[in-house]
């Protein structure tokens, strides 16, 4: 048996497992076949000489391939950038912990249905949930695939689990909130205080984490006055999904200056959580964005 034939034989022992992972992430046998084939090509280029755990290596590679495929789907649909800044309180994003028995039933149900609801998840949420809850991949390994912390990866799986358990896609609620956020920045870009007041709840709170600590601004008039700083001509506002809710990344002259997450209720902004600390922004904002 040649070296290539031996490598192919080792890969074939993992093919059905890899296809199962890819299918549950992508929801399509054809796409899963493409992902598995790409994993094989990467294995051929790499070889097995430096791979201690072939199954683990292939799981990681297949996970990254599926993540890239899911993200390309989102790009074609003009979906926003995903960022995790850890600024939202637990009640804003939901505590979706469920008991082990219910979690097992939920994980099993993914192999049977729920793909319509799964499509409402972000790529990172989908990868986290499928790998951990269905295939029992440890969170630290999933974190390496996603390029995030283990804690952030656990939160992604928790959000996914909650949405699937409720059977309620977040897309419609996010779209409505996104319209309010867009109106907020349209008014801010014009320096239109009156327009800002129409989309801010009277008791809105802005809480921003900066290099010198946390700054809190309360009340629609004060928050509107703060928002007029975004009327500068070199300001660009990039739509983002921040901590799982609609938000933005703001750049000035191509430099990231603020990430903001918005809580919207009844058509008005009730809370804004922001991050302005340059060191922390450097950790959460991808280098290719600016």
């Amino acid at each position: 048996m040649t070296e290539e034939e031996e490598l192919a034989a080792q890969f074939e022992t993992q093919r059905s497992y890899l296809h199962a992972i890819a299918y549950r992430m992508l929801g399509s046998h054809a796409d899963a076949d493409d992902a598995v084939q790409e994993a094989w090509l990467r294995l051929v280029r790499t070889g097995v000489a430096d791979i201690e755990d072939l199954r683990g290596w292939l799981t990681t590679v297949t996970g990254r391939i599926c993540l890239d495929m899911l993200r390309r789907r989102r790009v074609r649909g003009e979906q926003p950038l995903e960022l995790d800044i850890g600024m939202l309180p637990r009640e804003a994003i939901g505590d979706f912990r469920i008991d082990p028995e219910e979690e097992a039933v939920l994980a099993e149900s993914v192999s049977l249905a729920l793909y319509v609801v799964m499509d409402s998840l972000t790529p990172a949420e989908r990868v986290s949930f499928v790998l951990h809850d269905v295939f029992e991949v440890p969170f630290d390994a999933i974190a390496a695939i996603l390029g995030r912390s283990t804690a952030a990866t656990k939160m992604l799986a928790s959000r996914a689990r909650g949405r699937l358990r409720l059977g309620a896609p977040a897309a419609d609620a996010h779209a409505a909130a996104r319209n309010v956020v867009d109106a907020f920045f349209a008014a801010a870009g014009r320096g239109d205080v009156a327009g800002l007041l129409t989309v801010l709840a009277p008791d809105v709170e802005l809480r921003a984490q900066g290099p010198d600590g946390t700054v809190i601004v309360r009340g629609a008039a004060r928050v509107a006055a703060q928002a007029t700083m975004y009327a500068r001509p070199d300001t660009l506002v990039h739509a983002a999904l921040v901590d799982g809710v609609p938000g933005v990344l703001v750049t000035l002259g191509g430099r990231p200056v603020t990430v903001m997450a918005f809580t919207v209720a009844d058509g008005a902004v009730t809370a804004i959580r922001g991050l302005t600390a340059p060191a922390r922004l450097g950790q959460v904002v991808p280098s290719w964005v600016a």
Side-chain angles (χ1 to χ4, degrees):
M1 180 180 292
T2 66
E3 184 176 333
E4 184 174 343
E5 288 173 337
E6 184 175 350
L7 183 62
Q10 292 183 59
F11 182 80
E12 286 304 315
T13 65
Q14 305 296 330
R15 181 181 290 275
S16 60
Y17 165 74
L18 298 176
H19 187 277
I21 287 178
Y23 175 66
R24 283 162 176 77
M25 286 191 200
L26 301 172
S28 161
H29 285 295
D31 287 346
D33 286 339
D34 290 344
V36 173
Q37 181 62 20
E38 176 61 25
W40 159 247
L41 294 175
R42 294 189 187 185
L43 178 61
V44 169
R45 291 194 294 268
T46 303
V48 295
D50 297 323
I51 299 176
E52 295 183 4
D53 176 8
L54 180 61
R55 188 182 183 92
W57 187 91
L58 287 170
T59 299
T60 297
V61 168
T62 303
R64 287 174 176 163
I65 292 168
C66 291
L67 180 64
D68 288 342
M69 292 174 72
L70 290 168
R71 283 172 171 166
R72 285 197 294 271
R73 289 181 187 175
R74 292 255 161 176
V75 169
R76 289 197 295 269
E78 298 184 351
Q79 295 295 323
L81 173 72
E82 293 176 59
L83 299 171
D84 286 290
I85 62 174
M87 282 288 288
L88 287 181
R90 167 70 66 173
E91 61 270 18
I93 55 179
D95 186 349
F96 294 130
R97 288 174 294 180
I98 54 180
D99 63 61
E101 181 177 355
E102 186 178 355
E103 185 171 338
V105 171
L106 176 60
E108 176 60 23
S109 70
V110 175
S111 66
L112 305 174
L114 286 183
Y115 283 110
V116 172
V117 182
M118 286 277 282
D119 281 341
S120 72
L121 305 180
T122 69
E125 287 171 345
R126 192 161 175 163
V127 169
S128 297
F129 172 77
V130 170
L131 286 180
H132 180 266
D133 286 38
V134 181
F135 292 95
E136 300 181 343
V137 176
F139 277 122
D140 56 350
I142 303 170
I145 293 172
L146 298 176
R148 307 193 185 197
S149 68
T150 300
T153 301
K154 289 180 179 179
M155 180 57 70
L156 288 167
S158 178
R159 286 205 301 255
R161 195 177 300 123
R163 290 177 187 169
L164 293 173
R165 179 173 57 87
L166 295 173
D172 291 343
H174 281 180
R178 175 63 58 191
N179 289 336
V180 175
V181 174
D182 289 346
F184 174 91
F185 280 99
R190 298 190 302 268
D192 180 4
V193 173
L196 285 164
L197 292 175
T198 64
V199 295
L200 291 172
D203 57 350
V204 61
E205 178 186 85
L206 167 64
R207 185 182 294 265
Q209 186 183 65
D212 299 321
T214 301
V215 175
I216 301 174
V217 179
R218 294 189 177 95
R222 295 184 64 196
V223 171
Q226 287 278 328
T228 57
M229 72 175 67
Y230 300 116
R232 289 178 48 172
D234 56 348
T235 299
L236 287 178
V237 179
H238 308 264
L241 198 62
V242 181
D243 288 343
V245 302
V248 298
L249 165 66
V250 180
T251 62
L252 289 177
R255 179 175 57 87
V257 294
T258 306
V259 172
M260 305 169 74
F262 288 76
T263 302
V264 177
D266 299 324
V269 177
T270 59
I272 304 171
R273 298 293 181 266
L275 176 66
T276 62
R280 185 79 177 99
L281 284 172
Q283 295 174 338
V284 301
V285 178
S287 60
W288 51 263
V289 171

